[in-house]
Amino acid sequence: MFEQPKVCVLPVAGYSTRNLPATKAIHKGFLTLDNLPIIQYAINQCKEIGIEEVVFVYNNDVSKKVFENYFSRNYALEKSLKEKGKVDILQRLQAVIPDGMKFSFVEQKEPKGSGHAVLMAK
């Protein structure tokens, strides 16, 4: 029997050339499917199987900021939605960050592939 992993490494570096031209301006993880960024589906599945921490391996500060901003709370926006009675939108916004899940970030300074990215998380 094996121990359930608690950490998931998600390599999010790379230029996503297969998705150009969209990925020239939008990180591939934030392309949407049914109004959710693709990365959110991965995070939701991680939570469902008991992952407690997700480590994003990024390739530049722009990517890091996009992920940090998305996976952190925006208290001013939450307050505004609450004041306007937009409870359904507020709940969807708060669901972006699953309860108890931690996010970490590691830089892959040069493109050496996904295997290298996973080793960077170590």
Side-chain angles (χ1 to χ4, degrees), residues 7-33:
V7 177
C8 175
V9 177
L10 291 178
V12 296
Y15 295 113
S16 190
T17 55
R18 284 171 277 203
N19 295 305
L20 285 171
T23 53
K24 181 180 176 202
I26 300 169
H27 189 282
K28 62 188 169 192
F30 293 93
L31 296 173
T32 61
L33 179 64

Short mmCIF file of all heavy atoms in Angstrom, two decimals, residues 7-33:
data_model
loop_
_atom_site.label_atom_id
_atom_site.label_comp_id
_atom_site.label_asym_id
_atom_site.label_seq_id
_atom_site.Cartn_x
_atom_site.Cartn_y
_atom_site.Cartn_z
N VAL A 7 1.39 16.66 -1.94
CA VAL A 7 1.89 17.78 -2.74
C VAL A 7 1.80 17.42 -4.22
O VAL A 7 2.11 16.30 -4.61
CB VAL A 7 3.37 18.10 -2.37
CG1 VAL A 7 3.92 19.22 -3.24
CG2 VAL A 7 3.49 18.45 -0.90
N CYS A 8 1.38 18.39 -5.01
CA CYS A 8 1.32 18.23 -6.47
C CYS A 8 2.20 19.30 -7.10
O CYS A 8 2.12 20.47 -6.73
CB CYS A 8 -0.12 18.38 -6.96
SG CYS A 8 -0.27 18.32 -8.75
N VAL A 9 3.03 18.89 -8.03
CA VAL A 9 3.88 19.83 -8.77
C VAL A 9 3.25 20.07 -10.13
O VAL A 9 2.99 19.12 -10.87
CB VAL A 9 5.31 19.27 -8.94
CG1 VAL A 9 6.16 20.21 -9.78
CG2 VAL A 9 5.94 19.01 -7.58
N LEU A 10 2.98 21.33 -10.44
CA LEU A 10 2.40 21.68 -11.73
C LEU A 10 3.38 22.55 -12.52
O LEU A 10 3.58 23.72 -12.20
CB LEU A 10 1.08 22.44 -11.54
CG LEU A 10 -0.09 21.65 -10.99
CD1 LEU A 10 -1.31 22.56 -10.81
CD2 LEU A 10 -0.44 20.50 -11.90
N PRO A 11 4.03 21.98 -13.53
CA PRO A 11 4.91 22.78 -14.38
C PRO A 11 4.07 23.71 -15.26
O PRO A 11 3.29 23.24 -16.08
CB PRO A 11 5.65 21.74 -15.23
CG PRO A 11 5.37 20.42 -14.60
CD PRO A 11 4.07 20.57 -13.88
N VAL A 12 4.19 25.00 -15.05
CA VAL A 12 3.40 25.97 -15.82
C VAL A 12 4.30 26.89 -16.63
O VAL A 12 3.84 27.92 -17.13
CB VAL A 12 2.44 26.78 -14.91
CG1 VAL A 12 1.41 25.88 -14.27
CG2 VAL A 12 3.21 27.56 -13.85
N ALA A 13 5.57 26.51 -16.76
CA ALA A 13 6.49 27.30 -17.58
C ALA A 13 6.27 26.93 -19.05
O ALA A 13 5.42 26.12 -19.38
CB ALA A 13 7.93 27.01 -17.16
N GLY A 14 7.04 27.50 -19.89
CA GLY A 14 6.93 27.19 -21.32
C GLY A 14 6.14 28.25 -22.06
O GLY A 14 5.38 29.02 -21.46
N TYR A 15 6.30 28.27 -23.35
CA TYR A 15 5.66 29.30 -24.17
C TYR A 15 4.32 28.87 -24.75
O TYR A 15 3.62 29.68 -25.33
CB TYR A 15 6.59 29.70 -25.32
CG TYR A 15 7.85 30.37 -24.84
CD1 TYR A 15 9.09 29.76 -24.99
CD2 TYR A 15 7.80 31.61 -24.21
CE1 TYR A 15 10.25 30.38 -24.54
CE2 TYR A 15 8.95 32.23 -23.76
CZ TYR A 15 10.16 31.61 -23.92
OH TYR A 15 11.30 32.22 -23.48
N SER A 16 3.96 27.61 -24.60
CA SER A 16 2.69 27.10 -25.12
C SER A 16 2.52 27.46 -26.60
O SER A 16 1.49 28.00 -27.01
CB SER A 16 1.51 27.61 -24.30
OG SER A 16 0.33 26.93 -24.65
N THR A 17 3.52 27.15 -27.38
CA THR A 17 3.50 27.51 -28.80
C THR A 17 2.36 26.84 -29.56
O THR A 17 1.90 27.37 -30.57
CB THR A 17 4.84 27.17 -29.47
OG1 THR A 17 5.14 25.79 -29.26
CG2 THR A 17 5.96 28.04 -28.92
N ARG A 18 1.88 25.71 -29.08
CA ARG A 18 0.75 25.05 -29.76
C ARG A 18 -0.54 25.86 -29.65
O ARG A 18 -1.48 25.65 -30.39
CB ARG A 18 0.52 23.65 -29.19
CG ARG A 18 1.55 22.65 -29.68
CD ARG A 18 1.40 21.38 -28.92
NE ARG A 18 2.15 21.63 -27.68
CZ ARG A 18 2.67 20.71 -26.90
NH1 ARG A 18 2.46 19.46 -27.14
NH2 ARG A 18 3.37 21.03 -25.85
N ASN A 19 -0.58 26.78 -28.70
CA ASN A 19 -1.79 27.58 -28.50
C ASN A 19 -1.64 29.02 -28.97
O ASN A 19 -2.48 29.87 -28.66
CB ASN A 19 -2.20 27.56 -27.02
CG ASN A 19 -2.59 26.18 -26.57
OD1 ASN A 19 -3.46 25.56 -27.16
ND2 ASN A 19 -1.95 25.69 -25.54
N LEU A 20 -0.55 29.31 -29.69
CA LEU A 20 -0.38 30.66 -30.23
C LEU A 20 -1.46 30.92 -31.28
O LEU A 20 -1.92 29.98 -31.92
CB LEU A 20 1.01 30.81 -30.85
CG LEU A 20 2.16 30.95 -29.86
CD1 LEU A 20 3.50 30.86 -30.58
CD2 LEU A 20 2.07 32.25 -29.08
N PRO A 21 -1.93 32.12 -31.45
CA PRO A 21 -1.45 33.36 -30.88
C PRO A 21 -2.05 33.72 -29.52
O PRO A 21 -1.60 34.67 -28.88
CB PRO A 21 -1.85 34.40 -31.93
CG PRO A 21 -3.10 33.86 -32.52
CD PRO A 21 -2.92 32.36 -32.51
N ALA A 22 -3.06 32.98 -29.05
CA ALA A 22 -3.71 33.32 -27.78
C ALA A 22 -2.72 33.40 -26.62
O ALA A 22 -2.79 34.30 -25.78
CB ALA A 22 -4.82 32.32 -27.45
N THR A 23 -1.76 32.49 -26.59
CA THR A 23 -0.84 32.44 -25.46
C THR A 23 0.28 33.47 -25.53
O THR A 23 1.13 33.52 -24.65
CB THR A 23 -0.25 31.02 -25.31
OG1 THR A 23 0.31 30.62 -26.56
CG2 THR A 23 -1.31 30.04 -24.86
N LYS A 24 0.25 34.28 -26.55
CA LYS A 24 1.20 35.40 -26.60
C LYS A 24 0.83 36.43 -25.53
O LYS A 24 1.69 37.07 -24.95
CB LYS A 24 1.17 36.05 -27.98
CG LYS A 24 2.13 37.20 -28.12
CD LYS A 24 2.07 37.80 -29.50
CE LYS A 24 2.99 39.00 -29.58
NZ LYS A 24 2.60 39.89 -30.66
N ALA A 25 -0.47 36.55 -25.25
CA ALA A 25 -0.95 37.54 -24.29
C ALA A 25 -1.56 36.94 -23.03
O ALA A 25 -1.64 37.62 -22.01
CB ALA A 25 -2.00 38.43 -24.97
N ILE A 26 -1.98 35.69 -23.08
CA ILE A 26 -2.64 35.04 -21.95
C ILE A 26 -1.88 33.76 -21.61
O ILE A 26 -1.61 32.96 -22.51
CB ILE A 26 -4.10 34.67 -22.29
CG1 ILE A 26 -4.89 35.91 -22.64
CG2 ILE A 26 -4.77 33.91 -21.14
CD1 ILE A 26 -6.26 35.59 -23.24
N HIS A 27 -1.55 33.57 -20.36
CA HIS A 27 -0.87 32.33 -19.97
C HIS A 27 -1.77 31.15 -20.26
O HIS A 27 -2.99 31.20 -20.05
CB HIS A 27 -0.52 32.37 -18.48
CG HIS A 27 0.36 31.24 -18.07
ND1 HIS A 27 -0.13 29.98 -17.86
CD2 HIS A 27 1.68 31.19 -17.86
CE1 HIS A 27 0.86 29.18 -17.52
NE2 HIS A 27 1.98 29.90 -17.52
N LYS A 28 -1.18 30.06 -20.75
CA LYS A 28 -1.95 28.88 -21.15
C LYS A 28 -2.86 28.35 -20.05
O LYS A 28 -3.94 27.85 -20.32
CB LYS A 28 -1.02 27.77 -21.62
CG LYS A 28 -0.07 27.27 -20.54
CD LYS A 28 0.96 26.31 -21.08
CE LYS A 28 2.02 26.05 -20.03
NZ LYS A 28 3.17 25.37 -20.59
N GLY A 29 -2.47 28.49 -18.82
CA GLY A 29 -3.30 28.01 -17.71
C GLY A 29 -4.57 28.81 -17.52
O GLY A 29 -5.49 28.38 -16.83
N PHE A 30 -4.64 29.98 -18.14
CA PHE A 30 -5.80 30.85 -17.97
C PHE A 30 -6.68 30.93 -19.20
O PHE A 30 -7.62 31.72 -19.25
CB PHE A 30 -5.35 32.23 -17.49
CG PHE A 30 -4.79 32.15 -16.10
CD1 PHE A 30 -3.43 31.99 -15.89
CD2 PHE A 30 -5.63 32.15 -15.00
CE1 PHE A 30 -2.92 31.84 -14.62
CE2 PHE A 30 -5.13 32.01 -13.72
CZ PHE A 30 -3.77 31.86 -13.52
N LEU A 31 -6.40 30.06 -20.18
CA LEU A 31 -7.38 29.87 -21.25
C LEU A 31 -8.59 29.24 -20.58
O LEU A 31 -8.45 28.45 -19.64
CB LEU A 31 -6.81 28.96 -22.34
CG LEU A 31 -5.59 29.51 -23.08
CD1 LEU A 31 -5.03 28.45 -24.02
CD2 LEU A 31 -5.93 30.78 -23.85
N THR A 32 -9.78 29.59 -21.00
CA THR A 32 -10.96 29.16 -20.25
C THR A 32 -11.76 28.07 -20.95
O THR A 32 -11.74 27.92 -22.16
CB THR A 32 -11.92 30.36 -19.99
OG1 THR A 32 -12.34 30.89 -21.23
CG2 THR A 32 -11.25 31.41 -19.14
N LEU A 33 -12.46 27.34 -20.11
CA LEU A 33 -13.39 26.31 -20.54
C LEU A 33 -14.61 26.45 -19.63
O LEU A 33 -14.48 26.31 -18.41
CB LEU A 33 -12.75 24.92 -20.40
CG LEU A 33 -13.62 23.74 -20.79
CD1 LEU A 33 -13.97 23.80 -22.28
CD2 LEU A 33 -12.88 22.45 -20.48
#
